[in-house]
């Protein structure tokens, strides 16, 4: 009896893999469709609920993402959690956060606030090959997939996987079956014109939806006997809806995806299953619809249960299938957790290898998490020298190798920059200005830069500056600058413009500096000024002036926004020692003057509430009319209620507290840009004579404003009033106020 039992047991054990092998191989095909891709997850959840194994999986665009995640061994519920917890909207911006930029790059962005990527090289104007470089999107994909290695074959994954892209040169479909799964996902979803093409195996690749939006043929070629295809492509719209340029362009795009999908549908047999969720009314770009798309995907799969359940396997077979998949996934996870044996740089830029290593700040022999790696790559990208910074893992003889690839900006090395500013206090003092610059970079071994600047508008300027790092790590630098300004110098009486002088000024600065950290600088230098002040009605002849001397500057800036900060601090200290010379019978200069200026602005936030502080102090040992280097007050958030720079003197004291409430994100559901409501209390004054300085003379002011911080700079409307009864309405667009 016992012998017969063991014989039956052995026979059943031997037959189990045979029976499992005899079941039909099931392949899943997931089409492209943008934000509607959450419907794919709904379908996969139904397959799992009814014990339907997936032996092969492939996808296009968002389908390539969901398929890739599933192929790594994640369950449908895990893919859902990752997908719903990802801020997909942030992937459509490659702008470096202001607080991550170096001190110098912060100053330049604040001045040239219009984000253009235009360069000049070899006699031609150059532009990027896409509006976005894909840096942030690759970071999101790394967060999703974890630190998986490159694969010699995607068949080695928990479920064999393929992604489909389009060859930009030939328009032919390209099946990605090996290498970096992150690159494969991103290439398959690279929208032409919006994202730069992906370069893989010498081919420029873009969104696979153009060539094959639902790759049934790919999964059949992998060996699938039965296909489950999920179509979430956008349908063609009727002529009554083709009423805008965007609608027409969308229709043209849909021509391509619809045609390829229809061609793939013809490859389906009567045994295959086509699932079409009711997602026609959903947007492909609005990722807030993903929860709704997931539900519609589940409903569509449930409507096909009569056919789907024919593919259901026994609990024992499904358990063996899930265990085998989990074993492969566990091997992938084990590889991810291994320490880094070596770090290799594939540097396609002129940035020094030592600077890259120090900025990366990862060490061989240590483990690294996906958060640590993304933070390290972001530090390198924030050097503002690169088009893309990527990371890939591979296996070498010594162990796991991390390769960091840096690509210089393709539209460089010479760049155009543009800034715009419009200020209006609804008086005759409306100010508009345009800043333009042309910067030549990498002129020397250490990365020397030559910038030429022009400012047009109410004030005019021409400047040229040569910036020379003194070491390969760009910690020490020298700077030479010439600047010519033409300004209207307003003198106010009782907050009204009384006299307007024309001021022309030539300035030369020579400095040597040090960056103790990227957010900070110290500079010591020489400054020479020479110019004229004229007004035919008040001056019988031009008023000539000149000065020369030295300066010392210290600065630290970690603010996340110069206009509406919610975190960080900005501190500057400037000390000038000058010999001033006036050629006038009224004004008289001392032999030398010492001017000290100190400014601070800081912010912290709690939820959607931000608290901002400001303080300014200035003094000059040359009192009264003995110096032309004066300090100003007046304007929005600088004694609101007064016109800009309407009170001046040799000595200044100012402080302000500002409260900001992000109404846009908190109450209105705005995600792209904040909308702030703000209130300020301010106090300050200026004095000509040091003997007159008294805190009892402080002027108190307050303001209310509404504003937003856009990629073009601030836009704000505010009202200010002082305790003296002065009132002003302010409108800003374009630059810091």
């Amino acid at each position: 009896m016992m012998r017969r039992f063991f014989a039956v047991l052995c026979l059943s054990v031997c037959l189990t893999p045979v029976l499992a092998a005899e079941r039909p191989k099931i392949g899943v095909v997931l089409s492209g469709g943008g934000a509607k891709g959450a419907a794919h997850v709904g379908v996969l959840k139904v397959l799992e609920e009814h014990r339907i194994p997936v032996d092969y999986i492939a996808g296009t665009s968002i389908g390539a993402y969901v398929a890739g995640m599933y192929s790594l061994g994640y369950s449908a519920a895990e893919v859902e959690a990752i997908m719903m917890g990802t801020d997909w909207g942030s992937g459509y911006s490659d702008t470096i956060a202001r607080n991550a930029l170096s001190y110098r790059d912060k100053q330049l962005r604040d001045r040239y606030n219009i984000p253009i990527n235009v360069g000049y090289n070899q006699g031609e104007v150059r532009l990027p090959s896409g509006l976005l470089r894909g840096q942030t999107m690759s970071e999101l994909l790394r967060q999703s997939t974890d630190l998986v290695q490159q694969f010699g074959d995607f068949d080695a994954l928990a479920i064999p996987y393929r992604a489909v892209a389009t060859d930009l040169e030939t328009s032919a479909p390209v099946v990605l079956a090996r290498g970096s799964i992150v690159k494969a996902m991103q290439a398959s979803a690279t929208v032409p014109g919006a994202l730069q093409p992906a370069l893989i195996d010498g081919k420029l690749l873009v969104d696979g939806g153009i060539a094959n939006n639902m790759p049934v043929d790919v999964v059949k070629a992998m060996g699938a006997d039965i296909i489950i295809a999920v179509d979430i492509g956008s349908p063609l719209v009727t002529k009554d809806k083709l009423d805008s340029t965007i609608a027409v362009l969308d229709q043209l795009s849909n021509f391509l995806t619809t045609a390829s999908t229809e061609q793939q549908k013809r490859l389906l047999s009567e045994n295959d299953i086509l699932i079409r969720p009711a997602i026609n009314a959903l947007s492909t770009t609005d990722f807030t619809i993903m929860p709704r798309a997931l539900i519609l995907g589940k409903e569509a799969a449930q409507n096909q249960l009569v056919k789907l359940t024919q593919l259901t396997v026994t609990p024992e077979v499904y358990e063996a299938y899930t265990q085998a998949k989990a074993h492969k996934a566990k091997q992938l996870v084990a590889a991810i957790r291994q320490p880094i044996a070596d770090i290799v740089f594939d540097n396609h830029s002129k940035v020094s290898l030592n600077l890259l290593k120090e900025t990366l700040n990862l060490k061989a022999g240590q483990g690294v998490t996906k958060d640590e790696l993304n933070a390290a790559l972001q530090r390198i990208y924030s050097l503002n020298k690169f088009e893309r910074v990527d990371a890939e893992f591979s296996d070498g003889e010594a162990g796991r190798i991390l390769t960091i690839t840096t690509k210089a900006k393709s539209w460089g090395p010479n760049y155009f920059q543009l800034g715009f500013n419009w200020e209006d206090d609804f008086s005759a003092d409306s100010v508009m200005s345009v800043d333009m610059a042309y910067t030549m970079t990498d002129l020397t071994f250490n990365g020397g830069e030559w910038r030429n600047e022009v400012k047009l508008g109410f004030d005019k300027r021409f400047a040229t500056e040569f910036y020379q790092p003194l070491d390969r790590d760009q910690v020490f630098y020298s700077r030479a600058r010439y600047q010519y300004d033409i300004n209207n110098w307003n003198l106010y009486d009782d907050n009204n413009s009384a006299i307007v002088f024309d001021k022309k000024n030539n300035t030369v600065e020579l400095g040597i500096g040090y960056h103790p950290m990227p957010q900070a600088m110290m500079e010591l230098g020489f400054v020479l000024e020479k110019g004229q002040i004229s007004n035919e009605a008040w001056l019988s002849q031009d008023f000539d002036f000149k000065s020369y001397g030295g300066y010392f500057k210290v600065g630290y800036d970690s603010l996340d926004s110069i206009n509406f900060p919610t975190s960080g601090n900005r501190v500057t200290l400037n000390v000038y020692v000058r010999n001033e010379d006036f050629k006038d019978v009224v004004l008289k200069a001392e032999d030398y003057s010492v001017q000290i200026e100190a400014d601070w602005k800081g912010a912290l936030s709690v939820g959607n509430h931000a608290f901002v502080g400001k303080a300014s102090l200035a003094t000059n040992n040359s009192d009264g009319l003995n110096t032309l280097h004066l300090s100003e007050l007046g304007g929005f958030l600088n004694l609101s209620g007064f016109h800009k720079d309407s009170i001046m003197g040799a000595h200044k004291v100012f402080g302000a507290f500002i409260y900001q409430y992000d109404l846009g994100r908190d109450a209105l559901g705005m995600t792209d840009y904040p909308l702030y409501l703000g209130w300020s209390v301010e106090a300050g004054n200026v004095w000509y004579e040091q003997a007159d300085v008294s805190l009892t003379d402080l002027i108190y002011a307050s303001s209310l404003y509404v504003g937003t911080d856009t990629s073009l700079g601030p836009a704000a409307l505010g009202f200010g009033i002082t305790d003296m009864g002065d009132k002003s309405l302010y409108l800003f667009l374009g630059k810091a106020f």
Side-chain angles (χ1 to χ4, degrees):
M1 188 70 176
M2 187 64 68
R3 184 178 300 171
R4 180 181 298 177
F5 171 78
F6 280 113
V8 171
L9 178 62
C10 291
L11 181 62
S12 63
V13 170
C14 293
L15 286 178
T16 296
V18 175
L19 294 173
E22 288 178 351
R23 70 171 177 82
K25 295 296 184 182
I26 301 169
V28 171
V29 180
L30 305 180
S31 78
K36 296 181 287 188
H40 292 320
V41 184
V43 173
L44 293 174
K45 295 187 80 169
V46 172
L47 298 185
E48 289 182 351
E49 290 168 3
H50 292 85
R51 301 194 307 275
I52 300 172
V54 177
D55 300 294
Y56 307 101
I57 192 166
T60 296
S61 196
I62 190 67
Y65 169 79
V66 176
M69 293 293 292
Y70 204 62
S71 74
L72 290 171
Y74 291 106
S75 69
E78 289 172 328
V79 176
E80 176 188 358
I82 294 171
M83 198 171 183
M84 298 301 177
T86 299
D87 181 10
W88 293 103
S90 66
Y92 292 91
S93 173
D94 287 323
T95 301
I96 302 171
R98 185 185 186 277
N99 56 341
L101 291 169
S102 69
Y103 186 91
R104 185 164 179 265
D105 283 338
K106 286 185 178 78
Q107 290 180 307
L108 293 174
R109 179 183 289 184
D110 294 343
R111 184 185 307 167
Y112 303 104
N113 55 297
I114 298 180
I116 61 171
N117 294 317
V118 182
Y120 183 83
N121 191 27
Q122 297 180 350
E124 62 180 14
V125 175
R126 293 188 172 187
L127 299 170
S129 54
L131 295 177
L132 300 173
R133 277 92 76 189
Q135 181 69 28
T136 308
M137 186 60 73
S138 65
E139 178 181 330
L140 294 181
L141 294 176
R142 274 193 303 272
Q143 284 289 119
S144 295
T145 60
D146 214 336
L147 306 182
V148 293
Q149 64 191 35
Q150 293 193 81
F151 298 95
D153 194 328
F154 288 159
D155 287 344
L157 300 174
I159 300 174
Y161 163 72
R162 301 290 186 270
V164 177
T166 300
D167 189 326
L168 186 59
E169 186 177 13
T170 65
S171 78
V174 176
V175 179
L176 300 171
R178 60 184 178 84
S180 165
I181 193 170
V182 170
K183 280 190 174 182
M185 289 177 174
Q186 191 164 5
S188 183
T190 297
V191 180
L195 290 164
Q196 288 188 337
L199 180 62
I200 298 179
D201 295 334
K203 296 179 180 178
L204 289 176
L205 303 181
V206 294
D207 197 307
I210 298 172
N212 190 349
N213 197 48
M214 193 174 71
V216 173
D217 58 340
V218 173
V219 178
K220 281 184 175 291
M222 293 173 73
D225 300 308
I226 295 178
I227 300 292
I228 301 173
V230 186
D231 176 19
I232 61 167
S234 298
L236 298 177
V237 301
T238 56
K239 65 179 180 181
D240 59 301
K241 296 182 180 179
L242 298 173
D243 54 0
S244 68
T245 302
I246 294 178
V248 172
L249 292 175
D250 283 342
Q251 184 84 328
L252 293 175
S253 176
N254 291 340
F255 283 163
L256 298 173
T257 57
T258 302
S260 69
T261 299
E262 292 301 318
Q263 183 181 11
Q264 292 296 309
K265 286 180 181 179
R266 290 192 285 270
L267 300 177
L268 296 173
S269 69
E270 60 181 12
N271 295 324
D272 298 326
I273 302 170
L274 175 64
I275 299 174
R276 171 70 186 180
I279 40 73
N280 288 358
L282 300 185
S283 168
T284 59
T285 57
D286 181 6
F287 288 93
T288 62
I289 59 93
M290 289 198 302
R292 177 61 181 160
L294 188 143
I295 293 173
L296 293 174
K298 289 188 68 173
E299 292 176 352
Q302 288 165 348
N303 291 337
Q304 297 271 16
L305 281 180
V306 173
K307 295 186 69 174
L308 285 173
T309 52
Q310 296 178 19
L311 304 176
T312 298
V313 298
T314 65
E316 294 78 13
V317 171
Y318 194 73
E319 176 65 19
Y321 159 79
T322 55
Q323 288 296 326
K325 189 171 73 168
H327 177 70
K328 287 187 177 181
K330 187 176 181 180
Q331 290 179 321
L332 295 177
V333 172
I336 289 171
R337 301 295 175 252
Q338 290 180 1
I340 302 171
D342 193 15
I343 300 176
V344 177
F345 287 87
D346 185 14
N347 184 21
H348 299 274
S349 75
K350 293 187 178 181
V351 177
S352 74
L353 185 60
N354 191 57
L355 178 58
L356 292 177
K357 289 180 178 178
E358 290 185 359
T359 306
L360 184 71
N361 196 27
L362 297 177
K363 306 297 182 184
Q366 299 178 350
V368 60
T369 67
K370 59 185 178 182
D371 291 331
E372 291 170 340
L373 179 61
N374 278 332
L377 296 181
Q378 188 60 42
R379 287 194 296 270
I380 294 179
Y381 185 65
S382 296
L383 293 174
N384 203 21
K385 304 288 187 183
F386 307 104
E387 182 173 310
R388 283 285 299 272
V389 179
D390 289 313
E392 293 179 350
F393 285 94
S394 58
D395 285 330
E397 293 183 1
R400 202 163 195 232
I401 299 173
L402 171 61
T403 300
I404 306 296
T405 303
T406 55
K407 180 183 178 184
K409 296 176 181 178
S410 60
W411 57 96
N414 306 321
Y415 306 98
F416 293 97
Q417 295 163 295
L418 184 64
F420 172 77
N421 181 44
W422 177 37
E423 303 176 30
D424 203 323
D425 58 8
F426 299 92
S427 69
D429 298 325
S430 177
V431 175
M432 183 179 294
S433 64
V434 176
D435 290 272
M436 296 173 286
Y438 177 64
T439 304
M440 291 174 278
T441 68
D442 294 330
L443 297 177
T444 64
F445 179 72
N446 288 336
E449 297 180 3
W450 182 18
R451 175 175 288 103
N452 292 283
E453 308 170 2
V454 174
K455 181 176 183 178
L456 303 175
F458 186 78
D459 294 324
K460 299 173 178 60
R461 171 181 298 165
F462 167 76
T464 184
E465 177 178 298
F466 190 80
Y467 179 86
Q468 174 59 54
L470 299 178
D471 61 312
R472 291 292 286 162
D473 294 341
Q474 301 188 358
V475 174
F476 296 92
Y477 68 89
S478 63
R479 186 176 65 90
R481 180 179 179 87
Y482 166 74
Q483 179 173 308
Y484 176 66
D485 293 284
I486 301 176
N487 307 112
N488 290 322
W489 194 23
N490 284 273
L491 298 183
Y492 287 82
D493 182 23
D494 196 21
N495 203 27
N496 293 308
S497 180
I499 308 174
V500 180
F501 292 99
D502 294 326
K503 183 180 180 182
K504 300 177 181 178
N505 193 23
N506 295 273
T507 304
V508 174
E509 289 183 346
L510 301 174
I512 186 168
Y514 167 60
H515 292 291
M517 62 182 70
Q519 298 85 6
M521 57 78 68
M522 294 188 295
E523 184 173 312
L524 183 68
F526 170 81
V527 59
L528 170 67
E529 295 177 292
K530 185 176 182 180
Q532 293 179 336
I533 297 175
S534 60
N535 181 300
E536 294 182 359
W538 288 85
L539 298 175
S540 58
Q541 60 183 12
D542 292 344
F543 176 80
D544 296 324
F545 66 90
K546 64 181 179 180
S547 70
Y548 63 89
Y551 66 83
F552 175 67
K553 299 180 180 180
V554 178
Y556 172 82
D557 190 348
S558 63
L559 287 178
D560 60 346
S561 167
I562 192 65
N563 312 299
F564 303 104
T566 59
S567 66
N569 289 275
R570 186 176 189 271
V571 182
T572 60
L573 172 65
N574 299 328
V575 180
Y576 293 91
V577 180
R578 303 182 181 94
N579 184 295
E580 298 190 70
D581 182 13
F582 305 153
K583 295 182 179 178
D584 186 78
V585 296
V586 178
L587 301 181
K588 179 182 178 182
E590 300 287 349
D591 290 338
Y592 71 93
S593 66
V594 178
Q595 182 185 24
I596 302 174
E597 301 172 320
D599 290 275
W600 167 77
K601 187 175 186 179
L604 60 87
S605 60
V606 179
N608 292 298
H609 307 272
F611 306 93
V612 183
K614 292 179 65 176
S616 295
L617 296 171
T619 188
N620 195 321
N621 73 323
S622 293
D623 278 335
L625 301 178
N626 296 322
T627 180
L628 294 179
H629 295 95
L630 304 174
S631 298
E632 300 91 1
L633 262 181
F636 183 52
L637 302 181
N638 288 287
L639 281 188
S640 301
F642 285 106
H643 295 300
K644 183 178 180 180
D645 299 338
S646 58
I647 53 177
M648 63 178 61
H651 312 280
K652 176 176 73 172
V653 173
F654 174 75
F657 170 79
I658 304 162
Y659 166 72
Q660 290 175 179
Y661 168 56
D662 191 347
L663 174 68
R665 289 195 175 99
D666 191 31
L668 302 180
M670 299 170 61
T671 56
D672 292 337
Y673 298 109
L675 179 64
Y676 293 110
L677 293 179
W679 166 74
S680 72
V681 289
E682 309 156 34
N685 206 345
V686 296
W687 299 266
Y688 272 99
E689 301 288 344
Q690 187 172 7
D692 295 335
V693 176
S694 174
L695 296 182
T696 60
D697 294 335
L698 291 181
I699 301 170
Y700 297 91
S702 184
S703 71
L704 290 171
Y705 63 88
V706 58
T708 184
D709 207 354
T710 73
S711 58
L712 300 180
L717 179 65
F719 173 76
I721 186 171
T722 72
D723 63 343
M724 301 170 62
D726 299 284
K727 304 171 185 174
S728 283
L729 192 64
Y730 304 98
L731 177 64
F732 295 89
L733 179 63
K735 269 197 194 176
F737 37 74

